[in-house]
Amino acid sequence: MVTLHSATAEASPNIALIKYWGNADNELRIPSNGSISLTLGGLSTVTRVTFDPGLAQDVLLIAGQPAHPPAHDRVRQHLDLIRERAGVVAHARVESSNNFPSGAGIASSASAFAALTLAALAAAGIESDAESQSRLARRGSGSACRSILGGYVEWHAGGTDAASYATQLAAADHWALVDLVAVVSRAPKPIGSTDGHRLADTSPLQAARVADAPRRLALCRQAILKRDFEALAAIVELDSQLMHAVMMTSSPPLLYWLPSTLAILRAAAEWRRSGEGVCATIDAGPNVHCLCAPGQASGMEARLRALPGVEDVLTCPPGGAARLLQTDT
Ligand code: DP6
């Protein structure tokens, strides 16, 4: 009789407050600078991994459909790391689904590789702590190392595989910020993050951005710990603009913004000047994440929805850590 080992895990995506852009080591995904994020509640990826000696190859189903070859290969490589560690030879069936729409400006690779790492480690029978889970999730997708933890999270660049992982800065209930994601396009992005990271060093601005990162990280850390929204808003917007300046000045240049992206940036700046607790940050795409101080989200959501070009607004409070839902052997 064949023994199947399976486990199911859940993880949430995150929004970077201080961005990861560019790697010191692309192969190991060791970043050029540390980063800080907020794990997004209400959104999650649930992934079930079953190691099955009867399978001739790994099977990956996303929302019930066989995955395209690039996604399949990336998952297979990640499973290989875990198989190697556990001495498992069986192939795996991986079934993954998101409760949020793809292409809505929320990177699903972070929650996907965090959930995959947790489920695959458990199915392979490896006991692990958050630090080693984060280190391993990083190998699948850099930002996934932050989605292992809940609340406010810092990824320590580290410089080596052993030293590059994320830890929690503050729990989700430390500060009730809300991320309103203003969706202006659902089209797939022309250049994904993995290719984008490889272009970062072609920008003459990247070295300055990286050199200044410790200062921005310290300001962001301090603003979170003191719950100082004005200070957070200033550093989050500066950091996002620095990353997009690097993107726009890479060879070839990356310009993720649409006219409506800029309209939201200008509106958010105007609202803050008039005393509202809101600031804007953008990952590798045209959609804008508007962070709101506690109690400000419902008013802001209505204002965002009224802007031309805004197709939808998703509301995300701080979320919890990745967790194992089930283990069967
Ligand atoms: C702009 O983690 O998606 O969202 O490691 O190649 O999977 P890979 O890249 P990824 O890059 C995220 C880039 C970002 C900023 C951030 O999340 O820090």
Side-chain angles (χ1 to χ4, degrees):
M1 181 155 127
V2 174
T3 318
L4 302 182
H5 296 274
S6 109
T8 307
E10 179 177 35
S12 292
N14 65 76
I15 176 66
L17 306 177
I18 299 294
K19 312 288 188 189
Y20 151 49
W21 197 248
N23 284 311
D25 184 327
N26 283 310
E27 197 58 37
L28 291 175
R29 285 191 159 86
I30 294 170
S32 302
N33 61 274
S35 54
I36 292 179
S37 61
L38 174 62
T39 302
L40 300 178
L43 309 178
S44 67
T45 301
V46 172
T47 301
R48 181 177 177 80
V49 174
T50 307
F51 287 108
D52 179 350
L55 288 174
Q57 57 177 26
D58 292 323
V59 175
L60 170 61
L61 299 175
I62 300 177
Q65 299 298 317
H68 296 301
H72 186 278
D73 283 356
R74 199 164 162 182
V75 165
R76 182 186 47 71
Q77 279 174 27
H78 200 60
L79 289 169
D80 283 345
L81 287 177
I82 293 165
R83 276 190 281 254
E84 200 178 295
R85 227 161 264 209
V88 169
V89 288
H91 289 108
R93 179 181 174 85
V94 177
E95 295 151 283
S96 189
S97 57
N98 293 335
N99 74 351
F100 55 96
S102 65
I106 295 166
S108 57
S109 68
S111 51
F113 278 94
L116 175 69
T117 300
L118 226 58
L121 282 170
I126 301 182
E127 284 200 17
S128 58
D129 57 11
E131 189 180 302
S132 56
Q133 291 159 2
S134 173
R135 206 182 278 122
L136 193 56
R138 189 199 81 231
R139 301 284 300 276
S141 174
S143 53
C145 79
R146 300 186 308 235
S147 275
I148 293 292
L149 292 310
Y152 299 82
V153 178
E154 178 162 3
W155 173 9
H156 313 279
T160 61
D161 178 46
S164 192
Y165 58 88
T167 56
Q168 188 180 64
L169 263 177
D173 63 2
H174 166 73
W175 197 13
L177 295 183
V178 172
D179 180 14
L180 297 178
V181 190
V183 179
V184 299
S185 168
R186 295 176 195 278
K189 42 190 171 191
I191 305 266
S193 301
T194 303
D195 292 332
H197 289 297
R198 290 177 187 265
L199 295 179
D201 282 329
T202 66
S203 164
L205 305 182
Q206 171 72 346
R209 180 190 158 273
V210 169
D212 183 56
R215 185 187 71 90
R216 297 193 305 281
L217 287 162
L219 287 172
C220 184
R221 221 178 275 135
Q222 211 173 33
I224 291 169
L225 295 176
K226 290 185 175 163
R227 302 185 190 90
D228 180 342
F229 190 83
E230 270 305 306
L232 183 78
I235 200 63
V236 160
E237 290 191 347
L238 171 67
D239 189 83
S240 176
Q241 300 294 63
L242 282 172
M243 180 183 75
H244 285 274
V246 166
M247 291 166 160
M248 289 175 197
T249 52
S250 295
S251 305
L254 296 176
L255 178 55
Y256 286 110
W257 298 2
L258 293 172
S260 42
T261 310
L262 187 55
I264 300 169
L265 284 183
R266 297 183 78 125
E270 187 53 47
W271 296 334
R272 191 151 88 263
R273 265 197 299 277
S274 70
E276 307 288 346
V278 62
C279 70
T281 183
I282 308 170
D283 277 348
N287 301 318
V288 185
H289 293 250
C290 293
L291 291 170
C292 300
Q296 307 258 307
S298 56
M300 279 304 138
E301 182 186 344
R303 287 191 191 199
L304 283 169
R305 283 190 188 277
L307 292 178
V310 174
E311 292 176 8
D312 197 7
V313 177
L314 307 180
T315 301
C316 309
R323 64 196 179 107
L324 211 50
L325 299 178
Q326 204 185 336
T327 314
D328 311 303
T329 54

